[in-house]
Amino acid sequence: MRVGIVGGGASGLSCAIRAKSKSNEVIVYEKNNKCGKKILITGNGKCNYFNDEFNINKYNSQNIDILSEIINLENKNLVLSFFEQLGVVPKVSNGYYYPVSNQAVTILQSLMNEAISKGVEIANELEVLDINVVDGKYEIITSKGKDIVDVLVLSTGSKATPKTGSDGFGYGIARKLGYNIIKPLPALVQLEGNEKYFKDWAGIRTDVEVSLYENDIFVKKEIGEIQLTDYGVSGICIYQLSSKLIRGLNNGNKELISINFLPWLKEDITIFFENRNNKLKNRTISDLLDGMLNYKLVNLILKKNNIDSTLNYNELDNKQKEMLFSDLLRFKINIIDYKKYDNAQVCSGGVSLLDINIDTMESKHHKNFYIIGELLDVDGDCGGYNLGFAWLSGILAGDNIRSIYD
C-alpha cells in the first residue's frame, strides 16, 4: 500500500512515523524546502510541545462533545510515550513541556530522524496542486507531475501564519470532495478597538484578570499578562479569549472585555484605599496609584475620568471615586476587530468533526482518506494544546493505517 501525506508539519510527521511499516510505503509531500517550519517558531523557538493539563476545557470546536471522546488520560499518555520513543527528554515547568535543550529544532530533528530511519520518503519542494478520487484511489497532482496513492492523509494546516506555508489549500480540497467547512477564522491573536486613548497606553504590560462578555452576558475569564497597544490589546490572556470572541464578532454579536487591573486585591476596594491613604499621609491620588500601576496607565485612567492628579484622595467626591474604582476593576473595551492570519498562531473552524471518525481520523465519506491537525475544526489555548492535538490526531491516524495494512 502507498500512503500519501500532504503536509509535513506536526500532524503529518507524527502520522508518517506511526503509519510506516515494512508492508507499506509512506511519502510526505511538503511544498517548503524542509518540513516543520511552524514547529521551529513555536514557543519563541523553544517549542512548548505539550501540556500536562490535557483536558477538553482547553479546546474549542463546534462539536466539542465529539472532540471530548479523545481528549483523555489514555491519549495523553499515548502522546507522551510517542515522544519518549523519539528520544526527546522533556523539561516540564508548571505543566508546560519543552525539550530540555530549550530548542524547537530538537523536536523537529527527532521527528525527522525517526521518519527517515523508518524509511519514510520526504519529498520537499513538491507542491500539491489538486487531488482527485480515481477508482477508489487518490490522484495527487503536484508541481512535478501526478502520483497515485492508496491512502491519503490531509495535514496541510490552516491559514494561520502563512509565512510558514499555511495557505488554506486543504480547505479547498476538502470542500471540493464534499466536506463541511466551518468558516476558518484567526485565533490566538490580538484584538482591536477604536478608543482614542489607546495611543496613551501603548507599550504597557501588566498582570490582569480579563473577562469576556458577549451581548452583555459573561462568557469566560482569563488571568495573565496583558499588553496594551495603540490598536487595542494583546498578550496570552487576550489570546485565550480570541477564538470565542472572534467567532462571536463574525456572528454579529457585541463583544466586550472587562479588565481588572488589580487582580491581587482581595478586600473591598474602598476600604483598601482608605487604609492606604491613612498609611501614606499627604499623598496625591496619583501617588497612591503610582505604587501599584504603570504611571502611563495611572495618568490615562485619571484623565479619562477628569480627575485632577494633584488632588488628595480625601478631596475626591463619591462620584469620582466610583468612576476611578470602576476603571481599576472593570475597565471596559468594546472589541470591533482583530488582527488577521499573518498574526494568528492558529485558526478556529475547519473541517467539521461530524465528517470524520474521531477515534481514527478517517473520513466517514471516503475510505482510506484521513484529515488531521489544524485543518480540522479544533483549536486550543496557548500552552502546547494545539501541538498536542496535532500530535494526537497524527498518531491516531497513523496507528489506524498501520493496523489495517501492516
Side-chain angles (χ1 to χ4, degrees), residues 347-360:
C347 284
S348 67
V351 178
S352 173
L353 298 185
L354 294 171
D355 286 339
I356 67 163
N357 292 298
I358 196 68
D359 291 328
T360 63

Side-chain angles (χ1 to χ4, degrees), residues 190-205 226-235 238-239 259 296 300 333 339:
Q190 304 93 335
L191 303 176
E192 299 181 355
N194 62 356
E195 303 293 347
K196 293 180 179 179
Y197 57 74
F198 284 164
K199 66 180 183 298
D200 295 326
W201 74 7
I204 295 173
R205 292 173 180 249
I226 196 171
Q227 297 172 32
L228 307 177
T229 70
D230 58 1
Y231 56 79
V233 287
S234 182
I238 294 299
Y239 290 174
I259 306 172
K296 290 171 64 176
L300 184 151
I333 305 173
K339 295 297 183 182

Side-chain angles (χ1 to χ4, degrees), residues 190-195 198 201 210-213 231-234 238 241-242 245-246 248-249 253-259 332-339:
Q190 304 93 335
L191 303 176
E192 299 181 355
N194 62 356
E195 303 293 347
F198 284 164
W201 74 7
V210 186
S211 298
L212 168 62
Y213 291 84
Y231 56 79
V233 287
S234 182
I238 294 299
L241 299 174
S242 63
L245 187 150
I246 290 169
L249 275 181
N253 296 319
K254 174 189 173 185
E255 303 293 327
L256 177 146
I257 63 169
S258 175
I259 306 172
K332 295 179 173 58
I333 305 173
N334 287 306
I335 301 299
I336 60 171
D337 207 349
Y338 47 89
K339 295 297 183 182

Side-chain angles (χ1 to χ4, degrees), residues 93-351:
S93 175
N94 297 320
Y96 294 75
Y97 280 72
Y98 296 89
V100 74
S101 67
N102 268 337
Q103 293 184 305
V105 68
T106 298
I107 299 295
L108 179 56
Q109 199 57 54
S110 297
L111 291 164
M112 294 300 297
N113 289 343
E114 183 72 5
I116 292 169
S117 70
K118 282 194 159 193
V120 173
E121 182 182 348
I122 306 292
N124 291 323
E125 297 183 289
L126 186 61
E127 184 174 6
V128 173
L129 305 175
D130 200 2
I131 295 173
N132 300 303
V133 182
V134 180
D135 297 328
K137 296 190 178 185
Y138 299 92
E139 179 187 61
I140 302 176
I141 301 174
T142 75
S143 52
K144 297 180 180 179
K146 296 181 180 179
D147 202 359
I148 297 290
V149 297
D150 303 288
V151 181
L152 177 67
V153 181
L154 270 188
S155 56
T156 57
S158 63
K159 292 183 177 182
T161 324
K163 66 182 180 181
T164 62
S166 299
D167 58 6
F169 168 77
Y171 297 134
I173 294 297
R175 186 178 288 110
K176 168 188 167 182
L177 296 177
Y179 292 81
N180 178 37
I181 308 296
I182 294 164
K183 183 180 179 179
L185 293 168
L188 301 186
V189 73
Q190 304 93 335
L191 303 176
E192 299 181 355
N194 62 356
E195 303 293 347
K196 293 180 179 179
Y197 57 74
F198 284 164
K199 66 180 183 298
D200 295 326
W201 74 7
I204 295 173
R205 292 173 180 249
T206 185
D207 290 331
V208 298
E209 178 183 273
V210 186
S211 298
L212 168 62
Y213 291 84
E214 184 170 276
N215 298 328
D216 298 321
I217 298 172
F218 173 77
V219 176
K220 190 180 180 184
K221 176 172 67 176
E222 291 290 338
I223 297 174
E225 185 183 74
I226 196 171
Q227 297 172 32
L228 307 177
T229 70
D230 58 1
Y231 56 79
V233 287
S234 182
I236 290 179
C237 62
I238 294 299
Y239 290 174
Q240 310 292 46
L241 299 174
S242 63
S243 177
K244 293 181 183 296
L245 187 150
I246 290 169
R247 195 151 295 277
L249 275 181
N250 275 266
N251 289 333
N253 296 319
K254 174 189 173 185
E255 303 293 327
L256 177 146
I257 63 169
S258 175
I259 306 172
N260 178 0
F261 287 110
L262 307 176
W264 45 265
L265 183 61
K266 304 306 178 186
E267 63 184 299
D268 179 85
I269 191 169
T270 301
I271 295 174
F272 172 81
F273 269 89
E274 287 175 353
N275 290 337
R276 184 171 174 80
N277 183 57
N278 291 333
K279 186 176 181 179
L280 303 173
K281 301 183 185 303
N282 300 318
R283 302 291 182 90
T284 66
I285 184 61
S286 181
D287 289 338
L288 292 182
L289 291 167
D290 280 343
M292 300 183 292
L293 298 172
N294 184 291
Y295 75 95
K296 290 171 64 176
L297 183 58
V298 171
N299 292 340
L300 184 151
I301 291 176
L302 293 177
K303 180 180 177 181
K304 178 173 176 286
N305 292 295
N306 295 313
I307 297 174
D308 185 344
S309 63
T310 65
L311 291 177
N312 185 279
Y313 175 76
N314 290 329
E315 296 178 288
L316 303 183
D317 61 34
N318 289 336
K319 182 63 176 177
Q320 288 175 314
K321 290 177 182 178
E322 182 182 332
M323 292 188 300
L324 173 62
F325 295 161
S326 178
D327 271 355
L328 289 173
L329 299 180
R330 297 174 297 278
F331 194 105
K332 295 179 173 58
I333 305 173
N334 287 306
I335 301 299
I336 60 171
D337 207 349
Y338 47 89
K339 295 297 183 182
K340 302 306 185 283
Y341 297 110
D342 284 348
N343 295 82
Q345 294 183 23
V346 296
C347 284
S348 67
V351 178

Side-chain angles (χ1 to χ4, degrees), residues 73-85:
L73 179 59
E74 180 183 359
N75 284 333
K76 170 186 171 181
N77 291 332
L78 183 65
V79 173
L80 291 176
S81 175
F82 173 71
F83 280 97
E84 184 179 352
Q85 292 165 12

